[in-house]
């Protein structure tokens, strides 16, 4: 069993503005652990919306701290700082980047990403709420959860980029809830040439969490 990364260096004050690891974070860790053998040998890992940095630190424990490049993005500057602290605390060299989704990275990362991970703001809200939350003007905690119509406003923008980002061996992990219509996401991605499936499901309080995994058809991992 791979230990959950240490986040005890982050305080309650940090978690007023940065997402504290919760059940959605932990189901993602479990899905990654379940796929550990598939993930080993990955060279470029990119996490969108890294928050505390817990998920990417976990990826570092799976893939090795010296054999892969770990890039993370977040729209919240304090999340980027927390990710950096978690990087140091867990001895995994994470590279947090303050940007909207992948804006600062494309087109340079075209077909380069072996592991792409997103635990997005998936909660259904008014669209006005997501517009406010997504403003690049600081540390609003609403950035962590406000998802607009169907909880998909932010996720849909990333889904458009997944085919461009993934390498031939690339795997994309996405957290979703029923309001996001996981099967419709899979159908939508299939129309974009990517295969997808639900790899883990769990009820956590009122939420019914899903982890979806996508890859290119006939994905092959180099030896
Ligand atoms: C549900 S939290 C997940 C945090 C962390 N990955 C975890 O699993 O605990 C969603 C994260 O996405 C970030 N986020 C929201 N919109 C974003 C955007 N447009 N670009 C980058 N990050 C974004 C939020 O600031 C927040 O840190």
């Amino acid at each position: 069993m791979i230990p959950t990364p240490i986040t005890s260096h982050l305080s309650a004050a940090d978690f007023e503005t940065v997402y504290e690891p919760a059940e959605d974070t932990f189901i993602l860790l479990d899905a990654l652990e379940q796929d550990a053998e598939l993930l080993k040998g990955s060279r470029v890992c990119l996490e969108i919306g890294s928050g505390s940095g817990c998920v990417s630190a976990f990826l570092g424990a799976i893939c090795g701290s010296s054999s892969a490049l770990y890039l993370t993005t977040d729209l919240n500057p304090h999340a980027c700082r927390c990710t950096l602290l978690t990087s140091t605390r867990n001895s995994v060299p994470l590279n947090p980047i303050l940007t909207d989704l992948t804006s600062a990275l494309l087109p340079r990362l075209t077909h380069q990403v072996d592991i792409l991970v997103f635990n997005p703001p998936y909660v259904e809200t008014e669209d006005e709420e997501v517009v406010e939350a997504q403003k690049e003007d600081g540390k609003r905690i609403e950035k962590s959860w406000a998802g607009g119509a169907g909880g998909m406003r932010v996720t849909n923008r990333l889904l458009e980029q997944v085919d461009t980002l993934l390498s031939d061996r690339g795997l994309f992990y996405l957290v979703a809830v029923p309001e996001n219509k996981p099967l419709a996401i899979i159908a939508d991605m299939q129309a974009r040439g990517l295969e997808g499936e639900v790899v883990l499901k769990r009820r956590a309080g009122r939420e019914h969490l899903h982890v979806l995994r996508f890859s290119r058809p006939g994905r092959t991992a180099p030896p």
Side-chain angles (χ1 to χ4, degrees), residues 17-22 24-25 28 47-55 73-76 79 99-102 118-122 134 140 143-145 154 157:
T17 53
V18 175
Y19 193 72
E20 182 168 6
D24 49 345
T25 315
L28 186 51
E47 182 186 7
I48 311 299
S50 60
S52 66
C54 177
V55 176
T73 72
D74 208 293
L75 203 51
N76 174 347
T99 194
D100 177 23
L101 299 179
T102 62
F118 195 21
N119 177 10
Y122 54 69
Q134 287 284 304
R140 297 161 190 259
K143 282 183 173 51
S144 300
W145 48 266
V154 183
R157 289 197 294 122

